[in-house]
Amino acid sequence: MLTRRGGWELSSASFCTALLLLHVAVVLPGVVSSQSLKNSNVTATFPWLTLSGDTPLVIAKGGFSGLFPDSSSFSYKFSYVAGSPDTISWCDVRLTKDGNGICLPDIVLDNCTNIKLVSLAQAILSRSNKFDASLFPILTVEDLVAQIKPAKLWLNIQHDIFYRQLNLDMRRYLLYLSKHNIPSYVSSPEVGFLSSIVGRFRKSKTKLIFCFLGEDTIEPSTNVTYGSLLKNLTFVKTFASGILIPKYYIWPVTSSGYLESYTSVVMDAHREGLEVFASEFANDVLFSYNYSYDPLAEVLSFIDNGIFSVDGVVTDFPITASEAIGDVQKWTIDMHNLVYKRVGAGLEVTWHSDVNVSNPVELEVGKLGYSLNCSRIILFLAI
Ligand SMILES: *[C@@H]1O[C@H](CO)[C@@H](O)[C@H](O)[C@H]1NC(C)=O
Ligand SMILES: *[C@@H]1O[C@H](CO)[C@@H](O)[C@H](O)[C@H]1NC(C)=O
Ligand SMILES: *[C@@H]1O[C@H](CO)[C@@H](O)[C@H](O)[C@H]1NC(C)=O
Ligand SMILES: *[C@@H]1O[C@H](CO)[C@@H](O)[C@H](O)[C@H]1NC(C)=O
Ligand SMILES: *[C@@H]1O[C@H](CO)[C@@H](O)[C@H](O)[C@H]1NC(C)=O
Ligand SMILES: *[C@@H]1O[C@H](CO)[C@@H](O)[C@H](O)[C@H]1NC(C)=O
Ligand SMILES: *[C@@H]1O[C@H](CO)[C@@H](O)[C@H](O)[C@H]1NC(C)=O
């Protein structure tokens, strides 16, 4: 049951910006279609140990933010082009002065935008900034829904108390969105905020998720640490239907980078009827040595270890989590100037963009991978 992988069908999706044109459209000879994967009833043969027994969810943090500026249209689009169609788009909601919700990864504008041009920029220095030149505009939540049509939307609301001090009403904004059936998930690290909306959302399909920060960090509305709230899941259940925890809450890592044995948090939360989502998955940062640098192995240890499975993972590289779940897709690419060739056990798809990559990067994406080289983007797909 390790990789649950079948093959890929490349079908259609058009995908372009002014500066970078990615138009793919191929049918691969000899590749098993995704239909056969879907038909193999893997979940029926191997029930998942998630709370519902359903397939774990893949939540793309700001889209495919491991590659493109977090929360840019390209980033969100690419998470669907190169990942599962069921991927959930994550948006960190900030309010503008006039009370509009926008998706921005950082409350400090300098850190994630080019302020002069008001466009999104790569905030993580170790990642390529080559796409910044595309001048991605900041998206409102409604832009995101209209332009990307995400399968589901996850709104993360980090600083309600801060906005309240500025007389901005996040609660009202959220209720406005929910009238339009917009969010599927709403997460927040503030007990007070979730408690204030839980009544209004009880009858809706939107799930409220309580987000744990560092174990020693004080939760501002209860004045106790997140570590102690973790011991009081009965209380958490009164205002949330799930929890979002950093991955080390589940598999702690020693200071020297070795994995310790798992904690009971997933089982404890499931017993309480709470779903568990794990965050902080990224392929380009150091993770425990026990995974031998394989980010796919890391995801599998959270969803497919025979003992428990988290109900979803929040990741900057959604393709890896989709691959782990065996839900790599149906992607339909419509691409000019496409070159593909078999490389060993994989497929290399190359396409040209109008932008020269000044700083080529090569990134491991589990068994799938991509690299950027000069003006080419190369996607490696395992077959
Ligand atoms: C998959 O499982 C469902 C429900 O258990 C069943 O109805 C369906 O026929 C199965 N599909 C295949 C291809 O076996
Ligand atoms: C944002 O930028 C400031 C100043 O450049 C820096 O001190 C701070 O750590 C950054 N915050 C994050 C979350 O990167
Ligand atoms: C929070 O707890 C600390 C010490 O436990 C106390 O000094 C402080 O007054 C408390 N704050 C509130 C708002 O209750
Ligand atoms: C759980 O939290 C609630 C609300 O803060 C509190 O009243 C209750 O005593 C706590 N229970 C335990 C076991 O800590
Ligand atoms: C991780 O690797 C170290 C060193 O090989 C080993 O001692 C430890 O038991 C491993 N952790 C797990 C959870 O397997
Ligand atoms: C990209 O770089 C190559 C080699 O340096 C150069 O020949 C080409 O004209 C450049 N293309 C663009 C669009 O700048
Ligand atoms: C990227 O370019 C470098 C040198 O320009 C080359 O050595 C390397 O093989 C290229 N990588 C790929 C994947 O084409």
Side-chain angles (χ1 to χ4, degrees), residues 127-169:
R127 292 180 181 166
S128 169
N129 63 356
K130 104 178 191 54
F131 298 106
D132 296 1
S134 300
L135 303 182
F136 295 113
I138 297 170
L139 299 175
T140 65
V141 173
E142 286 137 308
D143 290 339
L144 169 58
V145 171
Q147 292 177 21
I148 315 293
K149 301 183 178 65
K152 282 184 175 170
L153 188 61
W154 182 306
L155 301 182
N156 183 47
I157 293 173
Q158 196 86 14
H159 298 106
D160 177 55
I161 292 175
F162 168 77
Y163 288 113
R164 254 188 291 146
Q165 286 161 357
L166 298 176
N167 275 328
L168 287 168
D169 194 342

mmCIF file of all heavy atoms in Angstrom, residues 127-169:
data_model
loop_
_atom_site.group_PDB
_atom_site.id
_atom_site.type_symbol
_atom_site.label_atom_id
_atom_site.label_comp_id
_atom_site.label_asym_id
_atom_site.label_seq_id
_atom_site.Cartn_x
_atom_site.Cartn_y
_atom_site.Cartn_z
ATOM 1 N N ARG A 127 14.217 30.187 -1.568
ATOM 2 C CA ARG A 127 13.443 29.805 -2.745
ATOM 3 C C ARG A 127 13.651 30.808 -3.878
ATOM 4 O O ARG A 127 13.958 31.961 -3.628
ATOM 5 C CB ARG A 127 11.950 29.712 -2.388
ATOM 6 C CG ARG A 127 11.679 28.555 -1.454
ATOM 7 C CD ARG A 127 10.230 28.432 -1.080
ATOM 8 N NE ARG A 127 10.078 27.293 -0.162
ATOM 9 C CZ ARG A 127 9.009 27.058 0.571
ATOM 10 N NH1 ARG A 127 7.978 27.873 0.504
ATOM 11 N NH2 ARG A 127 8.957 26.006 1.368
ATOM 12 N N SER A 128 13.423 30.335 -5.079
ATOM 13 C CA SER A 128 13.662 31.192 -6.235
ATOM 14 C C SER A 128 12.756 32.422 -6.222
ATOM 15 O O SER A 128 11.560 32.318 -5.973
ATOM 16 C CB SER A 128 13.395 30.384 -7.507
ATOM 17 O OG SER A 128 13.366 31.262 -8.606
ATOM 18 N N ASN A 129 13.342 33.569 -6.506
ATOM 19 C CA ASN A 129 12.529 34.787 -6.589
ATOM 20 C C ASN A 129 12.231 35.137 -8.041
ATOM 21 O O ASN A 129 11.791 36.226 -8.342
ATOM 22 C CB ASN A 129 13.242 35.953 -5.900
ATOM 23 C CG ASN A 129 14.551 36.297 -6.594
ATOM 24 O OD1 ASN A 129 14.947 35.608 -7.553
ATOM 25 N ND2 ASN A 129 15.224 37.320 -6.136
ATOM 26 N N LYS A 130 12.487 34.185 -8.929
ATOM 27 C CA LYS A 130 12.390 34.509 -10.340
ATOM 28 C C LYS A 130 10.965 34.858 -10.771
ATOM 29 O O LYS A 130 10.767 35.578 -11.734
ATOM 30 C CB LYS A 130 12.941 33.366 -11.176
ATOM 31 C CG LYS A 130 11.903 32.526 -11.841
ATOM 32 C CD LYS A 130 12.500 31.475 -12.674
ATOM 33 C CE LYS A 130 11.453 30.824 -13.541
ATOM 34 N NZ LYS A 130 10.667 31.709 -14.373
ATOM 35 N N PHE A 131 9.989 34.361 -10.034
ATOM 36 C CA PHE A 131 8.612 34.638 -10.437
ATOM 37 C C PHE A 131 8.120 35.997 -9.947
ATOM 38 O O PHE A 131 7.057 36.442 -10.348
ATOM 39 C CB PHE A 131 7.684 33.525 -9.940
ATOM 40 C CG PHE A 131 8.027 32.189 -10.531
ATOM 41 C CD1 PHE A 131 8.663 31.224 -9.770
ATOM 42 C CD2 PHE A 131 7.741 31.914 -11.854
ATOM 43 C CE1 PHE A 131 9.007 30.002 -10.325
ATOM 44 C CE2 PHE A 131 8.081 30.689 -12.425
ATOM 45 C CZ PHE A 131 8.713 29.730 -11.651
ATOM 46 N N ASP A 132 8.911 36.642 -9.095
ATOM 47 C CA ASP A 132 8.479 37.947 -8.583
ATOM 48 C C ASP A 132 8.267 38.932 -9.724
ATOM 49 O O ASP A 132 7.414 39.813 -9.659
ATOM 50 C CB ASP A 132 9.510 38.532 -7.609
ATOM 51 C CG ASP A 132 9.653 37.687 -6.363
ATOM 52 O OD1 ASP A 132 8.972 36.646 -6.274
ATOM 53 O OD2 ASP A 132 10.450 38.043 -5.487
ATOM 54 N N ALA A 133 9.071 38.748 -10.779
ATOM 55 C CA ALA A 133 8.991 39.654 -11.913
ATOM 56 C C ALA A 133 7.635 39.577 -12.607
ATOM 57 O O ALA A 133 7.265 40.443 -13.390
ATOM 58 C CB ALA A 133 10.099 39.331 -12.909
ATOM 59 N N SER A 134 6.891 38.520 -12.324
ATOM 60 C CA SER A 134 5.578 38.391 -12.952
ATOM 61 C C SER A 134 4.551 39.334 -12.350
ATOM 62 O O SER A 134 3.436 39.429 -12.852
ATOM 63 C CB SER A 134 5.061 36.959 -12.815
ATOM 64 O OG SER A 134 5.951 36.079 -13.448
ATOM 65 N N LEU A 135 4.931 40.020 -11.262
ATOM 66 C CA LEU A 135 4.049 41.013 -10.637
ATOM 67 C C LEU A 135 2.659 40.462 -10.344
ATOM 68 O O LEU A 135 1.651 40.992 -10.805
ATOM 69 C CB LEU A 135 3.939 42.269 -11.526
ATOM 70 C CG LEU A 135 5.265 42.954 -11.859
ATOM 71 C CD1 LEU A 135 5.008 44.209 -12.695
ATOM 72 C CD2 LEU A 135 6.030 43.318 -10.602
ATOM 73 N N PHE A 136 2.639 39.390 -9.587
ATOM 74 C CA PHE A 136 1.351 38.799 -9.223
ATOM 75 C C PHE A 136 0.582 39.746 -8.316
ATOM 76 O O PHE A 136 1.101 40.167 -7.288
ATOM 77 C CB PHE A 136 1.554 37.490 -8.464
ATOM 78 C CG PHE A 136 2.198 36.422 -9.288
ATOM 79 C CD1 PHE A 136 3.466 35.970 -8.984
ATOM 80 C CD2 PHE A 136 1.531 35.865 -10.368
ATOM 81 C CE1 PHE A 136 4.059 34.982 -9.737
ATOM 82 C CE2 PHE A 136 2.123 34.868 -11.125
ATOM 83 C CZ PHE A 136 3.385 34.430 -10.807
ATOM 84 N N PRO A 137 -0.634 40.075 -8.666
ATOM 85 C CA PRO A 137 -1.408 40.944 -7.779
ATOM 86 C C PRO A 137 -1.866 40.188 -6.529
ATOM 87 O O PRO A 137 -1.982 38.962 -6.544
ATOM 88 C CB PRO A 137 -2.616 41.337 -8.638
ATOM 89 C CG PRO A 137 -2.749 40.255 -9.643
ATOM 90 C CD PRO A 137 -1.374 39.692 -9.871
ATOM 91 N N ILE A 138 -2.103 40.935 -5.472
ATOM 92 C CA ILE A 138 -2.675 40.342 -4.264
ATOM 93 C C ILE A 138 -4.132 40.001 -4.568
ATOM 94 O O ILE A 138 -4.856 40.802 -5.156
ATOM 95 C CB ILE A 138 -2.578 41.341 -3.096
ATOM 96 C CG1 ILE A 138 -1.105 41.627 -2.782
ATOM 97 C CG2 ILE A 138 -3.308 40.828 -1.866
ATOM 98 C CD1 ILE A 138 -0.887 42.767 -1.816
ATOM 99 N N LEU A 139 -4.550 38.811 -4.168
ATOM 100 C CA LEU A 139 -5.915 38.369 -4.471
ATOM 101 C C LEU A 139 -6.831 38.598 -3.269
ATOM 102 O O LEU A 139 -6.428 38.361 -2.137
ATOM 103 C CB LEU A 139 -5.929 36.872 -4.783
ATOM 104 C CG LEU A 139 -5.125 36.385 -5.973
ATOM 105 C CD1 LEU A 139 -5.176 34.856 -6.034
ATOM 106 C CD2 LEU A 139 -5.689 36.967 -7.266
ATOM 107 N N THR A 140 -8.037 39.014 -3.537
ATOM 108 C CA THR A 140 -9.025 38.975 -2.470
ATOM 109 C C THR A 140 -9.553 37.543 -2.407
ATOM 110 O O THR A 140 -9.363 36.756 -3.342
ATOM 111 C CB THR A 140 -10.219 39.916 -2.739
ATOM 112 O OG1 THR A 140 -10.906 39.439 -3.897
ATOM 113 C CG2 THR A 140 -9.774 41.343 -2.972
ATOM 114 N N VAL A 141 -10.224 37.227 -1.309
ATOM 115 C CA VAL A 141 -10.776 35.878 -1.180
ATOM 116 C C VAL A 141 -11.732 35.612 -2.348
ATOM 117 O O VAL A 141 -11.748 34.529 -2.934
ATOM 118 C CB VAL A 141 -11.501 35.732 0.178
ATOM 119 C CG1 VAL A 141 -12.215 34.398 0.260
ATOM 120 C CG2 VAL A 141 -10.508 35.893 1.318
ATOM 121 N N GLU A 142 -12.482 36.622 -2.708
ATOM 122 C CA GLU A 142 -13.443 36.430 -3.805
ATOM 123 C C GLU A 142 -12.751 36.278 -5.160
ATOM 124 O O GLU A 142 -13.209 35.508 -6.006
ATOM 125 C CB GLU A 142 -14.451 37.588 -3.817
ATOM 126 C CG GLU A 142 -15.438 37.437 -2.662
ATOM 127 C CD GLU A 142 -15.723 38.730 -1.955
ATOM 128 O OE1 GLU A 142 -14.746 39.411 -1.563
ATOM 129 O OE2 GLU A 142 -16.900 39.069 -1.791
ATOM 130 N N ASP A 143 -11.632 36.984 -5.374
ATOM 131 C CA ASP A 143 -10.837 36.762 -6.598
ATOM 132 C C ASP A 143 -10.405 35.306 -6.675
ATOM 133 O O ASP A 143 -10.468 34.674 -7.730
ATOM 134 C CB ASP A 143 -9.521 37.565 -6.577
ATOM 135 C CG ASP A 143 -9.721 39.059 -6.720
ATOM 136 O OD1 ASP A 143 -10.793 39.453 -7.220
ATOM 137 O OD2 ASP A 143 -8.815 39.820 -6.326
ATOM 138 N N LEU A 144 -9.926 34.831 -5.536
ATOM 139 C CA LEU A 144 -9.419 33.460 -5.497
ATOM 140 C C LEU A 144 -10.521 32.484 -5.915
ATOM 141 O O LEU A 144 -10.309 31.602 -6.752
ATOM 142 C CB LEU A 144 -8.900 33.154 -4.085
ATOM 143 C CG LEU A 144 -8.561 31.707 -3.739
ATOM 144 C CD1 LEU A 144 -7.523 31.149 -4.681
ATOM 145 C CD2 LEU A 144 -8.012 31.623 -2.312
ATOM 146 N N VAL A 145 -11.692 32.672 -5.352
ATOM 147 C CA VAL A 145 -12.807 31.779 -5.684
ATOM 148 C C VAL A 145 -13.175 31.904 -7.162
ATOM 149 O O VAL A 145 -13.349 30.905 -7.866
ATOM 150 C CB VAL A 145 -14.024 32.094 -4.791
ATOM 151 C CG1 VAL A 145 -15.250 31.333 -5.256
ATOM 152 C CG2 VAL A 145 -13.698 31.762 -3.344
ATOM 153 N N ALA A 146 -13.226 33.144 -7.651
ATOM 154 C CA ALA A 146 -13.661 33.352 -9.031
ATOM 155 C C ALA A 146 -12.614 32.865 -10.031
ATOM 156 O O ALA A 146 -12.947 32.245 -11.041
ATOM 157 C CB ALA A 146 -13.962 34.837 -9.254
ATOM 158 N N GLN A 147 -11.348 33.145 -9.761
ATOM 159 C CA GLN A 147 -10.319 32.832 -10.759
ATOM 160 C C GLN A 147 -9.866 31.383 -10.713
ATOM 161 O O GLN A 147 -9.568 30.784 -11.724
ATOM 162 C CB GLN A 147 -9.087 33.725 -10.549
ATOM 163 C CG GLN A 147 -9.353 35.181 -10.862
ATOM 164 C CD GLN A 147 -8.115 36.034 -10.574
ATOM 165 O OE1 GLN A 147 -6.992 35.544 -10.518
ATOM 166 N NE2 GLN A 147 -8.317 37.315 -10.371
ATOM 167 N N ILE A 148 -9.758 30.843 -9.525
ATOM 168 C CA ILE A 148 -9.155 29.509 -9.395
ATOM 169 C C ILE A 148 -10.223 28.432 -9.268
ATOM 170 O O ILE A 148 -9.989 27.283 -9.597
ATOM 171 C CB ILE A 148 -8.214 29.451 -8.163
ATOM 172 C CG1 ILE A 148 -7.309 30.686 -8.097
ATOM 173 C CG2 ILE A 148 -7.402 28.168 -8.139
ATOM 174 C CD1 ILE A 148 -6.297 30.819 -9.188
ATOM 175 N N LYS A 149 -11.369 28.780 -8.758
ATOM 176 C CA LYS A 149 -12.422 27.800 -8.478
ATOM 177 C C LYS A 149 -11.867 26.600 -7.716
ATOM 178 O O LYS A 149 -11.926 25.460 -8.175
ATOM 179 C CB LYS A 149 -13.081 27.343 -9.783
ATOM 180 C CG LYS A 149 -13.685 28.512 -10.536
ATOM 181 C CD LYS A 149 -14.411 28.062 -11.795
ATOM 182 C CE LYS A 149 -15.045 29.227 -12.519
ATOM 183 N NZ LYS A 149 -14.016 30.198 -13.035
ATOM 184 N N PRO A 150 -11.313 26.854 -6.541
ATOM 185 C CA PRO A 150 -10.713 25.753 -5.784
ATOM 186 C C PRO A 150 -11.763 24.714 -5.393
ATOM 187 O O PRO A 150 -12.934 25.057 -5.191
ATOM 188 C CB PRO A 150 -10.141 26.433 -4.540
ATOM 189 C CG PRO A 150 -10.898 27.708 -4.396
ATOM 190 C CD PRO A 150 -11.286 28.117 -5.774
ATOM 191 N N ALA A 151 -11.321 23.459 -5.296
ATOM 192 C CA ALA A 151 -12.229 22.386 -4.887
ATOM 193 C C ALA A 151 -12.858 22.755 -3.551
ATOM 194 O O ALA A 151 -14.063 22.646 -3.354
ATOM 195 C CB ALA A 151 -11.445 21.083 -4.767
ATOM 196 N N LYS A 152 -12.004 23.192 -2.621
ATOM 197 C CA LYS A 152 -12.471 23.667 -1.322
ATOM 198 C C LYS A 152 -11.509 24.749 -0.872
ATOM 199 O O LYS A 152 -10.353 24.771 -1.286
ATOM 200 C CB LYS A 152 -12.464 22.528 -0.304
ATOM 201 C CG LYS A 152 -13.640 21.590 -0.455
ATOM 202 C CD LYS A 152 -13.646 20.538 0.623
ATOM 203 C CE LYS A 152 -14.897 19.683 0.511
ATOM 204 N NZ LYS A 152 -14.824 18.501 1.388
ATOM 205 N N LEU A 153 -12.002 25.599 0.009
ATOM 206 C CA LEU A 153 -11.187 26.713 0.458
ATOM 207 C C LEU A 153 -11.015 26.641 1.968
ATOM 208 O O LEU A 153 -11.977 26.400 2.695
ATOM 209 C CB LEU A 153 -11.903 28.011 0.069
ATOM 210 C CG LEU A 153 -11.140 29.308 0.278
ATOM 211 C CD1 LEU A 153 -9.864 29.329 -0.548
ATOM 212 C CD2 LEU A 153 -12.023 30.486 -0.124
ATOM 213 N N TRP A 154 -9.781 26.856 2.415
ATOM 214 C CA TRP A 154 -9.472 26.860 3.849
ATOM 215 C C TRP A 154 -9.025 28.273 4.188
ATOM 216 O O TRP A 154 -8.028 28.747 3.649
ATOM 217 C CB TRP A 154 -8.360 25.859 4.121
ATOM 218 C CG TRP A 154 -7.969 25.721 5.567
ATOM 219 C CD1 TRP A 154 -7.591 26.721 6.430
ATOM 220 C CD2 TRP A 154 -7.906 24.500 6.323
ATOM 221 N NE1 TRP A 154 -7.306 26.194 7.663
ATOM 222 C CE2 TRP A 154 -7.490 24.841 7.628
ATOM 223 C CE3 TRP A 154 -8.159 23.153 6.022
ATOM 224 C CZ2 TRP A 154 -7.307 23.872 8.634
ATOM 225 C CZ3 TRP A 154 -7.970 22.205 7.029
ATOM 226 C CH2 TRP A 154 -7.556 22.563 8.312
ATOM 227 N N LEU A 155 -9.774 28.936 5.060
ATOM 228 C CA LEU A 155 -9.390 30.290 5.469
ATOM 229 C C LEU A 155 -8.743 30.237 6.841
ATOM 230 O O LEU A 155 -9.354 29.754 7.808
ATOM 231 C CB LEU A 155 -10.625 31.201 5.503
ATOM 232 C CG LEU A 155 -11.386 31.347 4.179
ATOM 233 C CD1 LEU A 155 -12.559 32.304 4.343
ATOM 234 C CD2 LEU A 155 -10.460 31.831 3.066
ATOM 235 N N ASN A 156 -7.525 30.721 6.922
ATOM 236 C CA ASN A 156 -6.830 30.759 8.209
ATOM 237 C C ASN A 156 -6.861 32.179 8.730
ATOM 238 O O ASN A 156 -6.449 33.112 8.042
ATOM 239 C CB ASN A 156 -5.388 30.288 8.035
ATOM 240 C CG ASN A 156 -4.653 30.240 9.357
ATOM 241 O OD1 ASN A 156 -5.181 29.720 10.340
ATOM 242 N ND2 ASN A 156 -3.449 30.783 9.397
ATOM 243 N N ILE A 157 -7.386 32.334 9.949
ATOM 244 C CA ILE A 157 -7.570 33.666 10.509
ATOM 245 C C ILE A 157 -6.726 33.781 11.757
ATOM 246 O O ILE A 157 -7.060 33.253 12.814
ATOM 247 C CB ILE A 157 -9.070 33.901 10.749
ATOM 248 C CG1 ILE A 157 -9.689 33.938 9.353
ATOM 249 C CG2 ILE A 157 -9.310 35.187 11.525
ATOM 250 C CD1 ILE A 157 -11.131 33.987 9.262
ATOM 251 N N GLN A 158 -5.590 34.450 11.570
ATOM 252 C CA GLN A 158 -4.559 34.379 12.594
ATOM 253 C C GLN A 158 -4.703 35.474 13.641
ATOM 254 O O GLN A 158 -4.354 35.258 14.787
ATOM 255 C CB GLN A 158 -3.198 34.491 11.889
ATOM 256 C CG GLN A 158 -2.024 34.069 12.714
ATOM 257 C CD GLN A 158 -1.767 32.567 12.628
ATOM 258 O OE1 GLN A 158 -2.304 31.893 11.754
ATOM 259 N NE2 GLN A 158 -0.968 32.039 13.532
ATOM 260 N N HIS A 159 -5.177 36.631 13.275
ATOM 261 C CA HIS A 159 -5.031 37.772 14.192
ATOM 262 C C HIS A 159 -6.329 38.521 14.434
ATOM 263 O O HIS A 159 -6.388 39.729 14.269
ATOM 264 C CB HIS A 159 -3.995 38.758 13.631
ATOM 265 C CG HIS A 159 -2.629 38.171 13.498
ATOM 266 N ND1 HIS A 159 -2.092 37.816 12.281
ATOM 267 C CD2 HIS A 159 -1.695 37.859 14.418
ATOM 268 C CE1 HIS A 159 -0.880 37.313 12.470
ATOM 269 N NE2 HIS A 159 -0.615 37.326 13.760
ATOM 270 N N ASP A 160 -7.357 37.813 14.855
ATOM 271 C CA ASP A 160 -8.631 38.495 15.083
ATOM 272 C C ASP A 160 -8.493 39.606 16.129
ATOM 273 O O ASP A 160 -9.020 40.700 15.958
ATOM 274 C CB ASP A 160 -9.699 37.491 15.521
ATOM 275 C CG ASP A 160 -11.011 38.184 15.826
ATOM 276 O OD1 ASP A 160 -11.495 38.901 14.933
ATOM 277 O OD2 ASP A 160 -11.532 38.048 16.937
ATOM 278 N N ILE A 161 -7.760 39.336 17.212
ATOM 279 C CA ILE A 161 -7.644 40.329 18.293
ATOM 280 C C ILE A 161 -7.009 41.617 17.759
ATOM 281 O O ILE A 161 -7.467 42.722 18.030
ATOM 282 C CB ILE A 161 -6.837 39.748 19.481
ATOM 283 C CG1 ILE A 161 -7.666 38.629 20.143
ATOM 284 C CG2 ILE A 161 -6.475 40.832 20.490
ATOM 285 C CD1 ILE A 161 -6.963 37.893 21.253
ATOM 286 N N PHE A 162 -5.970 41.444 16.930
ATOM 287 C CA PHE A 162 -5.298 42.601 16.323
ATOM 288 C C PHE A 162 -6.287 43.433 15.498
ATOM 289 O O PHE A 162 -6.357 44.648 15.614
ATOM 290 C CB PHE A 162 -4.143 42.096 15.454
ATOM 291 C CG PHE A 162 -3.534 43.131 14.548
ATOM 292 C CD1 PHE A 162 -2.659 44.089 15.044
ATOM 293 C CD2 PHE A 162 -3.830 43.137 13.184
ATOM 294 C CE1 PHE A 162 -2.103 45.037 14.198
ATOM 295 C CE2 PHE A 162 -3.277 44.083 12.340
ATOM 296 C CZ PHE A 162 -2.407 45.039 12.847
ATOM 297 N N TYR A 163 -7.084 42.748 14.660
ATOM 298 C CA TYR A 163 -8.022 43.493 13.821
ATOM 299 C C TYR A 163 -9.107 44.158 14.653
ATOM 300 O O TYR A 163 -9.580 45.237 14.327
ATOM 301 C CB TYR A 163 -8.642 42.578 12.750
ATOM 302 C CG TYR A 163 -7.639 42.225 11.671
ATOM 303 C CD1 TYR A 163 -7.178 40.933 11.510
ATOM 304 C CD2 TYR A 163 -7.134 43.221 10.834
ATOM 305 C CE1 TYR A 163 -6.241 40.620 10.538
ATOM 306 C CE2 TYR A 163 -6.199 42.921 9.861
ATOM 307 C CZ TYR A 163 -5.756 41.622 9.718
ATOM 308 O OH TYR A 163 -4.827 41.326 8.765
ATOM 309 N N ARG A 164 -9.476 43.499 15.741
ATOM 310 C CA ARG A 164 -10.506 44.115 16.581
ATOM 311 C C ARG A 164 -10.001 45.424 17.176
ATOM 312 O O ARG A 164 -10.738 46.394 17.291
ATOM 313 C CB ARG A 164 -10.943 43.151 17.687
ATOM 314 C CG ARG A 164 -12.337 42.592 17.344
ATOM 315 C CD ARG A 164 -12.908 41.790 18.466
ATOM 316 N NE ARG A 164 -12.175 40.556 18.658
ATOM 317 C CZ ARG A 164 -11.985 39.990 19.851
ATOM 318 N NH1 ARG A 164 -12.451 40.545 20.952
ATOM 319 N NH2 ARG A 164 -11.324 38.858 19.929
ATOM 320 N N GLN A 165 -8.689 45.444 17.531
ATOM 321 C CA GLN A 165 -8.115 46.691 18.049
ATOM 322 C C GLN A 165 -8.184 47.794 17.007
ATOM 323 O O GLN A 165 -8.226 48.972 17.325
ATOM 324 C CB GLN A 165 -6.663 46.453 18.487
ATOM 325 C CG GLN A 165 -6.584 45.677 19.789
ATOM 326 C CD GLN A 165 -5.227 45.032 20.011
ATOM 327 O OE1 GLN A 165 -4.343 45.115 19.155
ATOM 328 N NE2 GLN A 165 -5.051 44.397 21.152
ATOM 329 N N LEU A 166 -8.199 47.401 15.727
ATOM 330 C CA LEU A 166 -8.292 48.395 14.655
ATOM 331 C C LEU A 166 -9.732 48.613 14.213
ATOM 332 O O LEU A 166 -9.982 49.214 13.164
ATOM 333 C CB LEU A 166 -7.472 47.926 13.440
ATOM 334 C CG LEU A 166 -5.973 47.760 13.655
ATOM 335 C CD1 LEU A 166 -5.325 47.193 12.396
ATOM 336 C CD2 LEU A 166 -5.332 49.085 14.007
ATOM 337 N N ASN A 167 -10.660 48.070 15.009
ATOM 338 C CA ASN A 167 -12.080 48.202 14.679
ATOM 339 C C ASN A 167 -12.480 47.528 13.376
ATOM 340 O O ASN A 167 -13.372 47.998 12.673
ATOM 341 C CB ASN A 167 -12.494 49.675 14.599
ATOM 342 C CG ASN A 167 -12.839 50.186 15.973
ATOM 343 O OD1 ASN A 167 -13.337 49.415 16.796
ATOM 344 N ND2 ASN A 167 -12.554 51.449 16.223
ATOM 345 N N LEU A 168 -11.758 46.471 13.037
ATOM 346 C CA LEU A 168 -12.132 45.725 11.836
ATOM 347 C C LEU A 168 -12.776 44.418 12.287
ATOM 348 O O LEU A 168 -12.277 43.748 13.190
ATOM 349 C CB LEU A 168 -10.897 45.449 10.969
ATOM 350 C CG LEU A 168 -10.354 46.672 10.228
ATOM 351 C CD1 LEU A 168 -8.993 46.381 9.633
ATOM 352 C CD2 LEU A 168 -11.323 47.114 9.146
ATOM 353 N N ASP A 169 -13.874 44.069 11.648
ATOM 354 C CA ASP A 169 -14.675 42.968 12.159
ATOM 355 C C ASP A 169 -14.531 41.712 11.304
ATOM 356 O O ASP A 169 -15.222 41.532 10.302
ATOM 357 C CB ASP A 169 -16.144 43.421 12.212
ATOM 358 C CG ASP A 169 -16.987 42.463 13.036
ATOM 359 O OD1 ASP A 169 -16.541 41.321 13.266
ATOM 360 O OD2 ASP A 169 -18.097 42.867 13.436
#
